[in-house]
């Protein structure tokens, strides 16, 4: 059994809390948060503290707080020579205080409190300063996911960058699509089956194989028509940039 | 029972063929294609022709060929005063020959021959010159989908434009993400759970509610770091354009 203490209780750590609770190989021994938290009734028995000085002993401490707060928070811990990890894709391992053994436990997924997620397929990217800690993190990852990989800080930075493209920027394209329909009083619901199928296609085809559309086939008439329909200059910039890129890369 | 004849047998019409065959309310009476086609053994009994002069009588004729070929192909038909529709999001209804009653039967989805799709939730966008034809298309749509809407040519042009953003451009973002990982010898598979969850989120949250990331929270340090990691100037342009747009629209 691996004992975990969660430090912070935001999107990531509240989901990790549920995932570890549902696993038989890991247990959340304590949750620290600087302010009081809501735990649903089934979890009332969990030990909670808002005092740094009351943080207990455990195998792994997981810091799940905003990137720019990790460094000073990890310095403020009274723990010494414990395995302390953070969950960030964007922050390096060395932002953590040297007072403890450092590591990373980065779940490559988008989390928000409103949505349940299953960890089973979520890639858990781990890193540690020494082999025995890496093994602990490997075993901890396996308690919730079938997909645990050792990833260096440099690789993780690239993963995080790629995630910004496929998550943040894709979501903004959904917003543009919805906005174009909204101006015609058409429902965003009309686009949902297409959005789901676009995502599902890349489970079996590479994005290059899945690519279709006027830009790919250099359909100048349609591209011209679309540019005329776009009155928002920002959307037009996106359209032109992607159309040029697709014409150059996919023909 | 509604009788349909399919003119052309590409991505769309080959999927419509299967969908109508599986419905008890519609039947494909004949398939025309200018060159021979492959039909799987279960459908060998279908009547096929490659001669315009042999096209039979039916309630609805569905042209499913590339947009720029629709006009001259529809002129070449010997049929008169029949209900002839096309399946294009981008072409107006009036590209069809006036020799017949004109209409639209546009399934808002991405089709490729390799992938099975269920029509049940696919929006079918219909349009016709007169009310009785609109009713025929409504009934035909209902034989395969629960989601049939009357959509004007202007609205359809906007739908098609929105579809380019959420399908073609999104798929290109998947390509960029994969390419960034590929250069690190990391597998595109790592991004797949994130891509699926990004799409699933907008089933319950609006894109605005679902938006996260460094640009949205104006995390200047991370944005700077990402721009330094991007050596492809094209990807960097995409990053800057989206980051500016998100900073301006979502804060
Ligand atoms: N959200 C995602 O999709 C996601 C995915 C993968 C990785 N990550 C990474 O996981 C980490 C946590 O992200 P998140 O979305 O879970 O964050 P979040 O929900 O914004 O985290 C809020 C938590 O951080 C605490 N906190 C904020 N500032 C603090 C400070 N100065 N000192 C101590 N605690 C502080 C908050 O405490 P209070 O309740 O007292 O305010 C709260 O418990 C980040 O490194 C992020 O990059 C996030
Ligand atoms: N694919 C999609 O995701 C999608 C989605 C919604 C709507 N649409 C629309 O549906 C229509 C068909 O698209 P698609 O993807 O199914 O097209 P496609 O697969 O490229 O269509 C190929 C078919 O068109 C025939 N064809 C090509 N040029 C022709 C010509 N000059 N005269 C007669 N037949 C010709 C081909 O005949 P041969 O076999 O003899 O070459 C073949 O049967 C288009 O209007 C498109 O905009 C497509």
């Amino acid at each position: 059994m691996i004992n975990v203490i969660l430090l912070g209780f935001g999107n990531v750590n509240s989901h990790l809390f549920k995932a570890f609770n549902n696993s038989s190989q890991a247990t959340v021994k304590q949750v620290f948060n600087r302010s009081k938290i809501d735990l649903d009734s089934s979890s009332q028995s969990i030990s909670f503290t808002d005092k740094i000085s009351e943080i207990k002993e455990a195998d792994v401490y997981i810091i799940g707080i905003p990137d720019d707060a990790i460094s000073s928070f990890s310095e403020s811990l009274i723990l010494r020579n414990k395995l302390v990890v953070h969950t960030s894709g964007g922050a390096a391992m060395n932002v953590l205080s040297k007072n403890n053994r450092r590591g990373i436990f980065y779940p490559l997924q988008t989390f928000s409190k409103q949505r349940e997620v299953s960890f089973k397929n979520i890639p858990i990217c781990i890193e540690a300063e020494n082999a025995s800690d890496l093994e602990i993190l490997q075993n901890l990852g396996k308690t919730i996911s079938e997909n645990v990989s050792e990833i260096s800080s440099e690789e993780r930075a690239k993963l995080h960058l790629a995630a910004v493209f496929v998550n943040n920027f894709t979501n903004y394209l959904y917003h543009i699509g919805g906005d174009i329909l909204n101006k015609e009083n058409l429902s965003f619901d009309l686009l949902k089956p297409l959005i789901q199928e676009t995502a599902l296609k890349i489970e079996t085809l590479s994005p290059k194989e899945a690519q279709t559309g006027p830009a790919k086939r250099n359909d100048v008439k349609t591209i011209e028509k679309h540019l005329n329909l776009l009155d928002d200059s920002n959307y037009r910039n996106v359209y032109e940039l992607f159309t040029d890129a697709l014409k150059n890369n996919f023909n």
Side-chain angles (χ1 to χ4, degrees), chain A:
Chain A
M1 180 68 78
I2 308 176
N3 285 313
V4 180
I5 291 183
L6 299 175
L7 307 174
F9 203 70
N11 297 309
V12 171
N13 269 0
S14 60
H15 279 103
L16 283 177
F17 178 77
K18 282 185 212 144
F20 289 132
N21 273 349
N22 288 334
S23 107
S24 55
Q25 311 293 320
T27 182
V28 178
K29 194 169 169 187
Q30 189 184 34
V31 172
F32 162 88
N33 200 50
R34 57 177 186 179
S35 53
K36 292 267 176 301
I37 60 174
D38 275 338
L39 283 174
D40 60 25
S41 50
S42 61
S43 316
Q44 294 295 345
S45 62
I46 191 77
S47 147
F48 170 82
T49 183
D50 56 6
K51 297 192 184 54
I52 295 259
S53 60
E54 287 180 354
I55 294 172
K56 299 186 190 168
E57 297 276 312
D59 301 316
V60 187
Y61 297 80
I62 302 181
I63 300 179
I65 68 175
D67 288 14
D68 52 9
I70 296 173
S71 179
S72 65
F73 176 76
S74 78
E75 283 298 339
S76 75
L77 295 172
I78 297 162
L79 308 166
R80 290 296 177 273
N81 201 31
K82 303 293 181 198
L83 178 53
V84 176
V85 305
H86 72 64
T87 59
S88 171
M93 185 162 67
N94 62 20
V95 305
L96 290 167
S97 163
K98 281 186 176 163
N99 291 332
N100 289 291
R101 286 141 46 211
R102 302 181 289 190
I104 302 292
F105 194 85
Y106 168 51
L108 180 41
Q109 186 49 286
T110 170
F111 298 95
S112 34
K113 288 211 170 157
Q114 307 98 309
R115 270 189 66 82
E116 292 298 317
V117 289
S118 154
F119 272 85
K120 188 161 161 282
N121 299 310
I122 295 178
I124 308 278
C125 305
I126 58 167
E127 187 182 357
E129 291 180 293
N130 63 64
S132 59
D133 286 341
L134 198 67
E135 202 184 324
I136 297 174
L137 295 180
Q138 182 87 43
N139 291 333
L140 183 64
K142 281 187 193 156
T143 67
I144 56 175
S145 167
E146 291 172 0
N147 195 348
V148 185
S149 315
E150 187 187 352
I151 299 280
S152 70
S153 281
E154 295 75 45
E155 290 171 328
R156 185 159 40 80
K158 290 290 179 83
L159 271 179
H160 187 241
L161 175 62
V164 166
F165 281 88
V166 305
N167 170 259
N168 302 166
F169 295 170
T170 289
N171 188 70
Y172 186 60
L173 289 177
Y174 299 163
H175 170 77
I176 296 177
D179 199 39
I180 290 169
L181 295 204
N182 192 34
K183 287 182 183 135
E184 297 288 310
N185 289 316
L186 292 168
S187 165
F188 181 55
D189 288 348
L190 286 164
L191 293 177
K192 289 180 178 175
L194 178 61
I195 286 172
Q196 298 313 327
E197 175 67 9
T198 303
L200 285 170
K201 262 192 172 173
I202 55 87
E203 293 287 343
T204 50
L205 302 175
S206 73
K208 201 146 195 166
E209 291 166 327
Q211 190 68 53
T212 58
K216 193 206 161 177
R217 57 175 192 272
N218 202 1
D219 172 350
V220 185
K221 254 171 64 185
T222 301
I223 292 167
E224 195 64 34
K225 198 152 75 177
H226 282 170
L227 287 171
N228 285 330
L229 289 175
L230 281 166
D231 31 32
D232 182 307
S233 68
N234 204 23
Y235 297 171
R236 176 195 288 270
N237 287 341
V238 172
Y239 193 96
E240 285 178 331
L241 184 60
F242 276 70
T243 296
D244 286 347
L246 283 166
K247 279 201 277 193
N248 296 331
N249 286 319
F250 282 76
N251 278 312

